[in-house]
């Protein structure tokens, strides 16, 4: 069974930088998995931030950037703000029409 | 602006049946990759199903054989029929489009509670 791993929680100071990761229990994440990232505040639908590893969705500030770091996909947030406090999810395309999401990272801005 | 408006959630008994709807505006359902994603209370996102423009349907193992994704082109609406639901199907269900390899537009979500 494919499991996409994310840090359950992370903390950052206002103005700081944080890198969230997205891995696979059964191997490495690569660009072929088309990594995407989503932001979700409680009670709201998710919002797309990044797709195809590093392409920002329309209206997403350049404080958010995506990459592959080693064997994982990564989302870096610079200049953290209080309203960045929410949950972040990664999504991976596994082929044959199948998608899998990670368990999400709850970000706290201290 | 593309908009997805969902309806059809509610309380359903185990073993019953329920059909969720997702009406699209400014987007043609039959020409796009349309999806259902769910989120159990306090949990993360779970991909449920995708309907391709060519009619191909794909399902997560957890719902395969019990859920059916479909569309009505005349109504420009996406559906998810849930048969034989279980307690662990309780979740907020979102419809979403998928373009450029990501879920870019989301509906508002609808809560489905499976309980006797």
């Amino acid at each position: 069974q494919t499991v996409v791993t994310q840090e359950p929680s992370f903390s950052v100071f206002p103005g700081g930088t944080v890198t969230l990761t997205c891995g696979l229990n059964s191997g490495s994440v690569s660009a072929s998995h088309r990594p995407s990232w989503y932001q979700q505040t409680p009670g709201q639908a998710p919002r797309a931030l990044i797709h195809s590893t590093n392409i920002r969705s329309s209206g997403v500030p350049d404080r958010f950037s995506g990459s592959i770091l080693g064997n994982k996909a990564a989302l870096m947030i610079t200049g953290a703000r209080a309203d960045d406090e929410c949950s972040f999810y990664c999504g991976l395309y596994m082929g044959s029409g199948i998608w899998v999401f990670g368990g999400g990272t709850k970000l706290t801005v201290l | 602006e593309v908009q997805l408006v969902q309806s059809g959630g509610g309380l359903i008994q185990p073993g019953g049946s329920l059909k969720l709807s997702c009406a699209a505006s400014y987007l043609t359902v039959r020409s796009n990759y349309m999806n259902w994603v769910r989120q159990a209370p306090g949990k993360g996102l779970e991909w449920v199903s995708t309907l391709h423009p060519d009619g191909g349907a794909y399902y997560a193992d957890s719902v395969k054989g019990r859920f059916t994704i479909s569309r009505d082109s005349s109504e420009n609406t996406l559906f998810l029929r849930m048969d034989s639901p279980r307690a662990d199907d309780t979740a907020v269900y979102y419809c979403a489009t998928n373009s450029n390899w990501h879920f870019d537009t989301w509906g508002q979500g609808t809560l489905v509670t499976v309980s006797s």
Side-chain angles (χ1 to χ4, degrees), chain B residues 39-112:
Chain B
Q39 187 169 35
K43 303 296 184 182
L45 302 176
E46 180 185 12
W47 172 77
V48 172
S49 181
T50 299
L51 183 59
H52 288 202
D54 66 3
Y58 301 84
Y59 299 92
D61 287 344
S62 58
V63 306
K64 197 175 295 181
R66 300 186 301 118
F67 291 9
T68 303
I69 192 171
S70 64
R71 65 192 176 209
D72 184 316
S73 297
S74 64
E75 296 182 4
N76 204 34
T77 298
L78 177 74
F79 301 101
L80 183 70
R81 181 180 173 92
M82 305 170 59
D83 292 314
S84 303
R86 309 184 299 228
D88 62 359
D89 293 320
T90 294
V92 173
Y93 285 74
Y94 296 99
C95 64
T97 59
N98 187 308
S99 62
N100 294 320
W101 300 98
H102 72 297
F103 302 89
D104 51 353
T105 301
W106 297 69
Q108 83 276 19
T110 188
L111 177 62
V112 173

Side-chain angles (χ1 to χ4, degrees), chain A residues 24-101:
Chain A
L24 275 173
N25 66 331
S26 56
S28 299
V29 175
S30 71
S32 67
H33 290 105
R34 310 287 187 162
S36 53
W37 291 90
Y38 306 85
Q39 178 184 45
Q40 187 182 36
T41 53
Q44 300 296 312
R47 168 200 178 200
L49 292 175
I50 299 284
H51 67 89
S52 301
T53 304
N54 56 13
I55 301 175
R56 275 185 296 277
S57 295
S58 177
V60 175
D62 59 8
R63 301 188 299 106
F64 296 90
S65 62
S67 66
I68 299 290
L69 283 182
N71 62 350
K72 296 182 179 182
L75 173 70
M76 185 169 70
I77 307 170
T78 60
R81 302 173 4 167
D83 61 0
D84 293 333
E85 185 163 296
C86 62
S87 294
F88 293 87
Y89 295 92
C90 69
L92 300 178
Y93 180 63
M94 304 309 297
S96 302
I98 305 300
W99 289 83
V100 182
F101 287 99

